[in-house]
Amino acid sequence: MESGNGYEEPVDLRALDYVSSYDDHLMCPICRCPFIRPVRLQCDHVFCQKCLNTAMTTGLEVFTCPTCRAPPQDVFQNVPRILTNMCDEIRVRCPFVSEGCQEIVPRGHVQSHVDKYCGYKPIECPSPLCNKKIRRKDLPSDDRCLHELHVCSLCEAEITEQDYDEHVNELCPYLKMTCPDCLATMFRNALKEHIDVCPEAIHPCAASKYGCPVKIKRAALITHEKQCPLLMMSPYFEAQNSRLESLELKISHLQQRNEIFEEGLAKLQSTLMESPQTNNSSSDASDNQQPRDDRFSYQSNANTYLLSLHESLREEVARMSQAITDLDARASMTIMNECLRIKEDMAHTNAAVGSVRMQVQWLMNPRLHHGQRVASVRASGTGSSEQGSSNAVAPSPGLPSSGTVRARRLSDSGREGTKL
Ligand SMILES: [Zn+2]
Ligand SMILES: [Zn+2]
Ligand SMILES: [Zn+2]
Ligand SMILES: [Zn+2]
Ligand SMILES: [Zn+2]
Ligand SMILES: [Zn+2]
Ligand SMILES: [Zn+2]
């Protein structure tokens, strides 16, 4: 069944209906389809050859990798074979599904299916006078044109020869058919409606899903359904069903949680089993002595391990409290020493302050006396000019005396400095 013209159109793989799900990693980032003849860039990103070529030639700026924006680079043809194979194994629908082909094939085989095997592929009518298309499976053995119109004797519609047999035997709406239940004869297009209302048709009771065994003619069924106890109970059954469903859902959730918990418990047990064997050689020996009672020995093992752990922790705590007491005593001793030292310092400082105060007072006193003396001299000077002239000399012997006072004071302060 080769078609007349030798040229076969390639199937557009991007327009196919992909039936099986595929991994996102098999999808070209440009056309969002599984790779078609993939190529690889230096940055290891893969694209369809055609997509990459289009992207390289149409971009206005310098071409960069569409995925990682890497600068211009070489294109490699050697993409891992498994990638191509995985892409070709994705199942697709035959592109002539609209013509009636139900075939689902791996993508790698779709071209050969269309070229050689698909009976629904439209091909040129073999008659040189006709330019219509015909499905390959309808092709007559002689090169007759099947596009001549025939008129249906029943419905008077014009039907092409290729569809005529099917129309007359199955599809013509004026085909006479008989109801299988009441044996009435009617046209094909009326039969569908009739079957839904045929009084002779045998139907099950509406409560059949709840166990009502009644199957009778429609006319009798109406009276039955009025008094069917199961049908009356059906709202209750519905409610119970929904409750059961929600409970089952809950149970499945709980089961999942339970599984998780059990897993965790098993892990805990296994770690507990391992640790005493590695840490405690004596309990290991007892294990060997009682190989039959594994469970008991495991429990006693765990108990001894826990007890020893407890004991060591208790020792640790005792050591810690001892250390804390020591630290406390040492700290209080240090504080006391420090206090004593500070007290001594304070006493020294107090003494120094006292002596300074005394000196200041001593310094203030002569100045006070001097001021009083000057004031009294001024007061007497206003009385007689002679006394004033003698007084003008009088302060001169006072000056050296104040100089000696200053010297003494300086020496005092020096002494205090050494004392401090
Ligand atoms: Zn692509
Ligand atoms: Zn890249
Ligand atoms: Zn097909
Ligand atoms: Zn034709
Ligand atoms: Zn007809
Ligand atoms: Zn009927
Ligand atoms: Zn019933």
Side-chain angles (χ1 to χ4, degrees):
M1 286 259 256
E2 285 295 313
S3 69
N5 54 0
Y7 176 70
E8 296 285 1
E9 255 182 59
V11 177
D12 181 6
L13 297 180
R14 287 186 184 82
L16 289 175
D17 180 11
Y18 287 84
V19 179
S20 54
S21 60
Y22 51 91
D23 198 282
D24 277 352
H25 294 106
L26 295 179
M27 197 166 69
C28 165
I30 298 176
C31 65
R32 319 294 291 171
C33 261
F35 293 116
I36 297 161
R37 270 197 270 148
V39 290
R40 183 170 62 85
L41 288 179
Q42 242 168 337
C43 56
D44 258 353
H45 287 121
V46 179
F47 306 93
C48 313
Q49 191 170 40
K50 199 173 147 198
C51 293
L52 194 68
N53 283 345
T54 325
M56 278 174 141
T57 49
T58 55
L60 292 173
E61 301 153 22
V62 177
F63 174 77
T64 54
C65 168
T67 302
C68 68
R69 303 264 154 235
Q73 44 193 316
D74 292 337
V75 178
F76 299 97
Q77 304 281 340
N78 59 337
V79 170
R81 181 112 206 114
I82 187 168
L83 198 70
T84 328
N85 288 348
M86 282 171 87
C87 289
D88 279 344
E89 262 160 35
I90 299 169
R91 302 182 85 77
V92 295
R93 242 177 243 291
C94 171
F96 299 115
V97 63
S98 57
E99 302 287 333
C101 183
Q102 297 296 322
E103 210 62 36
I104 290 175
V105 291
R107 195 186 76 175
H109 296 169
V110 73
Q111 185 73 49
S112 67
H113 166 78
V114 165
D115 289 349
K116 297 200 179 81
Y117 307 110
C118 185
Y120 293 85
K121 187 189 179 187
I123 54 176
E124 302 274 330
C125 180
S127 162
L129 298 171
C130 174
N131 55 4
K132 292 207 175 87
K133 301 231 173 188
I134 183 169
R135 289 185 296 205
R136 185 189 275 146
K137 73 181 179 73
D138 297 333
L139 206 65
S141 48
D142 46 349
D143 282 354
R144 209 150 43 85
C145 175
L146 292 180
H147 292 104
E148 283 166 28
L149 292 179
H150 291 240
V151 177
C152 172
S153 54
L154 297 170
C155 65
E156 298 185 344
E158 290 189 331
I159 315 291
T160 58
E161 191 178 335
Q162 59 175 334
D163 296 331
Y164 190 74
D165 285 348
E166 198 183 10
H167 175 85
V168 168
N169 290 324
E170 292 168 36
L171 296 176
C172 179
Y174 288 95
L175 208 61
K176 292 265 185 193
M177 300 192 93
T178 48
C179 170
D181 296 314
C182 64
L183 302 177
T185 311
M186 64 202 70
F187 291 128
R188 187 179 168 278
N189 53 359
L191 185 68
K192 266 187 203 160
E193 292 164 26
H194 170 77
I195 282 175
D196 287 340
V197 293
C198 176
E200 295 293 311
I202 290 178
H203 281 268
C205 171
S208 64
K209 59 180 170 178
Y210 302 127
C212 180
V214 171
K215 269 187 188 176
I216 42 173
K217 290 176 183 172
R218 190 189 300 277
L221 195 64
I222 293 168
T223 53
H224 163 77
E225 280 180 355
K226 273 180 190 157
Q227 54 198 17
C228 175
L230 285 167
L231 194 63
M232 284 174 200
M233 296 278 279
S234 67
Y236 173 73
F237 289 141
E238 294 280 344
Q240 291 298 318
N241 268 351
S242 64
R243 261 190 74 192
L244 271 178
E245 268 166 27
S246 74
L247 282 174
E248 271 168 10
L249 200 71
K250 239 183 237 174
I251 284 175
S252 73
H253 283 171
L254 286 173
Q255 264 176 346
Q256 281 176 358
R257 281 189 59 187
N258 196 27
E259 270 167 29
I260 292 167
F261 284 145
E262 271 177 358
E263 222 168 87
L265 200 65
K267 268 184 200 160
L268 272 177
Q269 277 183 346
S270 66
T271 44
L272 270 177
M273 288 253 262
E274 280 164 16
S275 41
Q277 277 169 6
T278 50
N279 295 347
N280 200 336
S281 56
S282 66
S283 66
D284 203 27
S286 74
D287 253 9
N288 291 339
Q289 283 165 1
Q290 300 169 313
R292 283 170 298 175
D293 205 347
D294 262 341
R295 183 129 192 106
F296 172 74
S297 67
Y298 153 67
Q299 276 180 352
S300 67
N301 232 345
N303 282 343
T304 44
Y305 172 64
L306 285 175
L307 277 174
S308 68
L309 199 70
H310 174 77
E311 206 56 40
S312 72
L313 282 173
R314 190 199 285 274
E315 275 168 26
E316 190 80 7
V317 167
R319 261 209 306 280
M320 292 286 271
S321 64
Q322 181 100 36
I324 286 169
T325 325
D326 278 4
L327 205 67
D328 197 30
R330 229 177 302 160
S332 55
M333 276 297 286
T334 323
I335 287 167
M336 263 170 63
N337 284 345
E338 201 67 15
C339 274
L340 277 176
R341 208 175 62 79
I342 287 169
K343 262 184 198 165
E344 221 167 299
D345 279 4
M346 289 278 277
H348 282 171
T349 316
N350 271 344
V353 166
S355 75
V356 165
R357 185 174 33 200
M358 271 170 15
Q359 281 176 26
V360 166
Q361 272 177 355
W362 191 84
L363 274 173
M364 294 291 275
N365 271 345
R367 205 161 283 175
L368 211 64
H369 296 314
H370 178 72
Q372 279 172 354
R373 201 163 57 214
V374 167
S376 62
V377 165
R378 287 244 175 97
S380 59
T382 48
S384 67
S385 61
E386 282 165 50
Q387 271 179 342
S389 63
S390 67
N391 273 334
V393 197
S396 56
L399 281 171
S401 73
S402 72
T404 54
V405 165
R406 196 168 291 137
R408 253 185 76 193
R409 191 185 64 93
L410 278 169
S411 70
D412 273 351
S413 73
R415 194 159 46 86
E416 275 161 17
T418 51
K419 205 169 96 185
L420 279 167

